[in-house]
Amino acid sequence: MNVAVSIDARTALLFSPCRLAGLDLRSRIVMAPMTRCMAEDGVPGPATASYYARRAAADVGLIMSEGIGVDHPAALGEGTFGERNMPVLQGAAAIAGWRAVTDAVHAAGGLIFAQLWHQGPLRRPGSGPQPRAVSCRPDGRWGPLDGSTSAPPDYLEAVRPPTVAMTDNDIADVIAAFGRSAAHAQTAGFDGIALHGAHGYLIDSFLWPETNSRVDAWGRTLAARTRFAVAVIEAVRAAAPALPVAFRYSQWKLQDYDARLVDTPDMLAALLAPLVDAGVDLFDVSTRVFHRPAFAGSPLSLAGWTRRLTGVPAIAVGGVGLSRELKDSLMAVVPAEDNVARAVVAIERGEFDLLGVGRALLADPDWARKLRQGAPLPAFSPAAFATLI
Ligand SMILES: Cc1cc2nc3c(=O)[nH]c(=O)nc-3n(C[C@H](O)[C@H](O)[C@H](O)COP(=O)(O)O)c2cc1C
């Protein structure tokens, strides 16, 4: 089902050039990071370059790449749904592959950040480029499984057996890996680094008390749980000083849709402040529905709270242009929804700065251009998961 978006003059705000986080953006539409599993041996090919360039040419202001495994043996395994062929950034072939991608995006007038990813506790043991690597977990155990989840039961069973808690040396190795990958991203021509600190993966697993019961300097208090993220941000900044850093975080986890990192605005402020001090230029606030109030007693969204508490520009993402959340699109068509006007109002009043779009841009490379032109917006079909148009 297509929906014609009611465009008024304010929609132009989305497509006026703006300067944020040191970047000159041609629009406020950000393509959300989306794993595509099309990188054979971890190397992106020409189809990946045209996939991203097509979106850049059609009015997307900033592209977040799919998650790219950092230069560490346990960074990647098969994904939640058995996905493989996720990309890496180390080695001449991968760097050259990504250089072709960034060149194509730049030629189309766009900007692209590299999303650096370590799967941590959510890596399927025995899979990925280095199957024998031991999965990384802050405390060696597995968090609770009592929330609702999008992950299939066989995957949850596979990742569940305990592994060993990371030692200080393990932690230092992973932090260094993020630094190396950031340096490679700079060599490959990326415009910034996007850190995947969301959804239950490694950085998030340090932030979340359910997966971090350490009682040393890396756990126990909220401040200590942010220390790993801070160290990663600092390593990335040191290795690629020219590049701005975006940090993605979420309340929800793949293994628990109802999870919460923080329960109050004060806790959120305490979580984010050290990340800002470490040098985050942009927050990518991953929610399942971008306009849902984050805390009781206020209509403000999580991106809105992030912006208000830190003063750092924020991206809101989750269900833009679509009527249902991610989980519901795995099997069935998701109708389009005209909720862009709501986002424009929020941007206008300074609640957040940029609008992240995932599935809608997966299904239709021209989604942003259609929005600008007032053309009907498309529904999302699960068939889009398997293509690279
Ligand atoms: C196919 C697919 C792959 C995804 N892969 C990633 C990823 O690699 N990294 C990430 O941070 N989020 C990933 N996500 C989440 C999206 O970035 C986004 O937050 C989510 O789809 C909600 O936005 P939407 O409602 O506009 O689709 C993925 C989503 C989809 C649909």
Side-chain angles (χ1 to χ4, degrees):
M1 186 206 309
N2 289 338
V3 166
V5 169
S6 47
I7 296 289
D8 58 32
R10 288 176 308 172
T11 306
L13 174 69
L14 287 179
F15 296 98
S16 321
C18 64
R19 190 165 173 78
L20 272 176
L23 302 164
D24 288 312
L25 303 174
R26 61 149 61 151
S27 82
R28 289 175 187 261
I29 305 291
V30 178
M31 180 176 181
M34 281 178 288
T35 292
R36 305 313 346 269
C37 308
M38 308 283 178
E40 229 165 279
D41 297 324
V43 177
T48 298
S50 10
Y51 160 80
Y52 286 117
R54 229 169 260 144
R55 274 86 183 160
D59 296 325
V60 170
L62 173 62
I63 292 169
M64 298 300 187
S65 79
E66 62 210 276
I68 302 174
V70 290
D71 185 9
H72 183 265
L76 289 179
E78 268 177 27
T80 327
F81 299 96
E83 304 98 320
R84 43 186 81 192
N85 292 333
M86 281 90 127
V88 297
L89 243 173
Q90 65 272 15
I95 292 175
W98 282 115
R99 169 53 85 173
V101 172
T102 61
D103 283 348
V105 168
H106 294 153
L111 296 170
I112 180 165
F113 281 25
Q115 191 190 49
L116 302 187
W117 187 27
H118 192 299
Q119 293 181 339
L122 292 178
R123 169 179 175 273
R124 198 187 284 257
S127 69
Q130 302 207 38
R132 298 229 297 272
V134 176
S135 294
C136 292
R137 292 191 196 166
D139 62 11
R141 73 193 174 95
W142 172 252
L145 285 176
D146 48 4
S148 75
T149 166
S150 66
D154 71 312
Y155 168 77
L156 291 173
E157 279 311 308
V159 295
R160 199 171 184 165
T163 59
V164 289
M166 292 171 80
T167 63
D168 280 354
N169 280 344
D170 295 335
I171 292 173
D173 278 352
V174 177
I175 293 166
F178 271 94
R180 280 195 301 279
S181 294
H184 294 324
Q186 190 166 278
T187 307
F190 281 99
D191 301 289
I193 302 295
L195 290 172
H196 197 338
H199 307 167
Y201 294 110
L202 186 62
I203 295 176
D204 189 27
S205 71
F206 272 87
L207 298 175
W208 194 32
E210 298 290 355
T211 41
N212 182 359
S213 60
R214 296 179 76 104
V215 291
D216 61 3
W218 304 100
R220 200 167 53 79
T221 64
L222 179 54
R225 290 197 303 275
T226 64
R227 204 171 148 222
F228 181 72
V230 164
V232 167
I233 295 162
E234 288 172 348
V236 159
R237 290 223 74 102
L243 298 187
V245 176
F247 189 91
R248 172 169 262 220
Y249 80 96
S250 64
Q251 296 270 40
W252 67 272
K253 321 293 164 209
L254 267 168
Q255 68 269 43
D256 185 350
Y257 259 36
D258 303 320
R260 289 176 77 80
L261 266 186
V262 289
D263 292 320
T264 63
D266 284 350
M267 285 175 77
L268 183 62
L271 175 85
L272 299 178
L275 311 185
V276 175
D277 291 345
V280 168
D281 299 287
L282 181 63
F283 280 108
D284 182 1
V285 184
S286 173
T287 60
R288 285 152 57 207
V289 180
F290 76 96
H291 51 78
R292 215 173 254 169
F295 303 107
S298 161
L300 207 56
S301 63
L302 194 59
W305 277 109
T306 302
R307 183 80 175 84
R308 180 183 287 182
L309 294 169
T310 65
V312 171
I315 306 169
V317 61
V320 175
L322 292 178
S323 71
R324 296 204 197 102
E325 41 183 282
L326 187 53
K327 185 178 178 179
D328 299 324
S329 58
L330 299 174
M331 307 301 288
V333 169
V334 174
E337 186 189 6
D338 177 4
N339 58 14
V340 174
R342 187 199 283 262
V344 171
V345 170
I347 292 174
E348 240 177 7
R349 62 172 178 241
E351 186 174 326
F352 49 78
D353 304 271
L354 300 171
L355 200 53
V357 182
R359 289 163 298 160
L361 266 171
L362 199 61
D364 188 343
D366 293 326
W367 187 88
R369 174 143 303 162
K370 285 181 178 164
L371 175 67
R372 194 179 81 172
Q373 294 172 342
L377 297 181
F380 175 82
S381 154
F385 287 123
T387 59
L388 199 65
I389 53 166

